[in-house]
Amino acid sequence: MKQLIELNVNGIAYDVIVSPEDLLVDVLRQKLGLTGTKKGCGQGDCGTCTVLIDGRRALSCLTLAIACRGKKILTIEGMEADGRLHPIQQAFIDKGAIQCGFCTPGMVMAAKALLDENPDPTVEQIKRGLSGNLCRCTGYVKIVDAVQEAARQMRAAQSQEVSR
Ligand code: FES
Ligand code: FES
């Protein structure tokens, strides 16, 4: 039976009618118009549908929308602030870590989860942190560079904040 639920996405409360079997990725894309989250394999293998739920990375193709009631969902659309890209997004551009771009939203969200937990990861830790996200284009080297660069930028911003 369909139900009206409230979903908190990127700090906005949306009222949405869902069926119990509706997947979060489909609700985000088709009902809320948030098409930044991509649906690749649809079975948990590629990571393109990665979002954060209560700060933890989650595959939205394996998550029921109805199970997200009362939780905070962050998608790629919620990453920019005050009209500025998040440092991770900016670093992906600056380091040329985007080709076709299909994997990019999921990569950025996985990188955010990683850097929120570990602000100064080693290359190995970055590779492990992104190991659930597949990219067919870049060969991953520039993606790892971008995450390292973003980590540097975020640490620098943090220490400026502290010294104010
Ligand atoms: S679409 Fe979710 S893991 Fe591939
Ligand atoms: S940039 Fe094309 S799949 Fe990663």
Side-chain angles (χ1 to χ4, degrees), residues 97-104 107 134-138 143:
I98 303 169
Q99 286 188 28
C100 79
F102 193 77
C103 71
T104 309
M107 285 285 182
L134 305 183
C135 175
R136 289 169 185 255
C137 309
T138 64
I143 291 175

Side-chain angles (χ1 to χ4, degrees), residues 31-98:
K31 299 197 172 176
L32 304 186
L34 297 171
T35 54
T37 302
K38 304 300 179 209
K39 190 174 187 181
C41 67
Q43 53 186 25
D45 292 331
C46 72
T48 60
C49 65
T50 302
V51 297
L52 302 196
I53 300 177
D54 286 344
R56 312 186 94 133
R57 61 188 286 181
L59 296 174
S60 59
C61 75
L62 298 183
T63 304
L64 293 174
I66 214 161
C68 297
R69 274 180 299 193
K71 299 184 176 173
K72 291 193 169 109
I73 301 160
L74 182 68
T75 71
I76 191 72
E77 289 89 349
M79 288 291 280
E80 67 163 36
D82 303 325
R84 298 187 61 176
L85 293 177
H86 188 280
I88 299 173
Q89 294 172 299
Q90 192 60 55
F92 269 65
I93 295 170
D94 294 345
K95 292 288 178 183
I98 303 169

Side-chain angles (χ1 to χ4, degrees), residues 113-134:
L114 170 71
L115 297 184
D116 284 350
E117 203 178 290
N118 178 0
D120 192 7
T122 62
V123 167
E124 275 317 304
Q125 287 168 332
I126 294 172
K127 287 183 181 169
R128 216 173 312 128
L130 300 182
S131 61
N133 292 70
L134 305 183

Side-chain angles (χ1 to χ4, degrees), residues 144-161:
V144 173
D145 284 353
V147 177
Q148 277 188 306
E149 175 60 19
R152 268 193 293 275
Q153 298 287 341
M154 290 165 71
R155 288 197 307 275
Q158 188 73 31
S159 51
Q160 266 181 8
E161 203 59 29

